[in-house]
């Protein structure tokens, strides 16, 4: 029954992604998107890819400090290999093996640790990333000079410390065992999302976009939040829809906006493919030298 439910869920995600992609490409000129991608500057795309990889490397370190709180003392190297494998599963194997689910399974199988605690740190890792996406989005929205936001900027400024306090209280009440690393994990989350923002900035430069850069960065941050909602396959479709309607709302070129999303997806897919190596060559979970805490 569980396997059947996974298959149904996966099928629904694939269908929703396909419908959203079809919908977007009936709204814009596909030929124009193609020309936008062809004319992109390869050097800037290379730099965008570099910062995307940096973001994933920092993200893996953040996840590993959560594992260390569970006394799972993985080396950063073996944890990064597991992280890449998880990225590959998330994007390329829609058969029910999610990246987080696999990481939880392999850690539970290898170490004597409660499933509840493994699930807790995997969820907290995601929530920490969402927190910083929200903070960066609020920061940029507070400084975005458009009439639509007049009178509301104070709300974005107030929301920043409020969101941090709420997340800290959530950690304290339900996940007290990870409270000692709260600020360290939050700082790493800030670096992860900063590296991804730099990645998008280089994509903007690759497309020769010098105007409205803040607006495009805001759309990216919101699309990243939307992509976390588990309705589509790896965020495919939901991100493009967000870029399309975000551009429409802010008066930007919708074809260029979707082109940015497509380039980001291609970079994500390219880096995720590295994880295929660890699908065939099993990840060896090496333990770090025991350190005093």
């Amino acid at each position: 029954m569980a396997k059947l439910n996974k298959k149904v869920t996966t099928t629904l995600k694939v269908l929703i992604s396909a419908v959203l992609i079809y919908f977007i490409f009936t709204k814009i000129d596909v030929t124009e998107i193609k020309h936008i991608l062809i004319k992109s500057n390869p050097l800037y795309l290379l730099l965008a890819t570099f910062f995307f990889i940096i973001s994933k490397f920092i993200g893996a370190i953040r996840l590993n400090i959560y594992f260390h709180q569970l006394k799972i003392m993985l080396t950063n190297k073996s944890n990064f290999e597991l992280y890449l494998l998880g990225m590959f599963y998330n994007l390329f194997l829609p058969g029910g093996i999610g990246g987080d689910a696999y990481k939880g399974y392999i850690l539970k199988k290898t170490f004597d640790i409660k499933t509840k605690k493994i699930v807790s740190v995997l969820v907290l890792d995601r929530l920490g990333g969402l927190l910083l996406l929200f903070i960066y989005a609020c920061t940029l929205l507070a400084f975005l000079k458009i009439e639509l936001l007049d009178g509301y900027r104070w709300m974005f400024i107030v929301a920043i410390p409020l969101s941090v306090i709420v997340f800290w209280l959530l950690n304290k009440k339900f996940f007290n065992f990870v409270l000692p690393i709260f600020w360290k994990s939050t700082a790493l989350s800030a670096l992860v999302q900063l590296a991804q923002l730099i990645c998008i900035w280089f994509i903007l430069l690759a497309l020769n976009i010098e105007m409205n850069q803040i607006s495009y960065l805001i759309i990216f941050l919101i699309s990243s939040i939307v992509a976390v909602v588990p309705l589509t396959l790896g965020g495919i479709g939901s991100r493009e829809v967000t870029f399309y309607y975000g551009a429409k709302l802010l008066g930007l070129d919708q074809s260029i906006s979707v082109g940015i999303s497509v380039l980001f997806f291609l970079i994500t897919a390219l880096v995720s493919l590295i994880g295929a190596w660890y699908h065939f060559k099993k990840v060896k979970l090496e333990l770090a030298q025991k350190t005093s805490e």
Side-chain angles (χ1 to χ4, degrees), residues 134 137-139 141-142 149 152-161:
F134 178 77
C138 286
T139 303
L141 282 165
L149 297 179
Y152 299 99
R153 299 178 201 284
W154 67 271
M155 294 174 62
F156 298 119
I157 295 170
V158 170
I160 294 171

Side-chain angles (χ1 to χ4, degrees), residues 7 37 169 196 204-205 258:
K7 286 182 179 179
L37 299 182
L169 289 173
Q196 293 222 352
L204 294 176
L205 294 180
V258 173

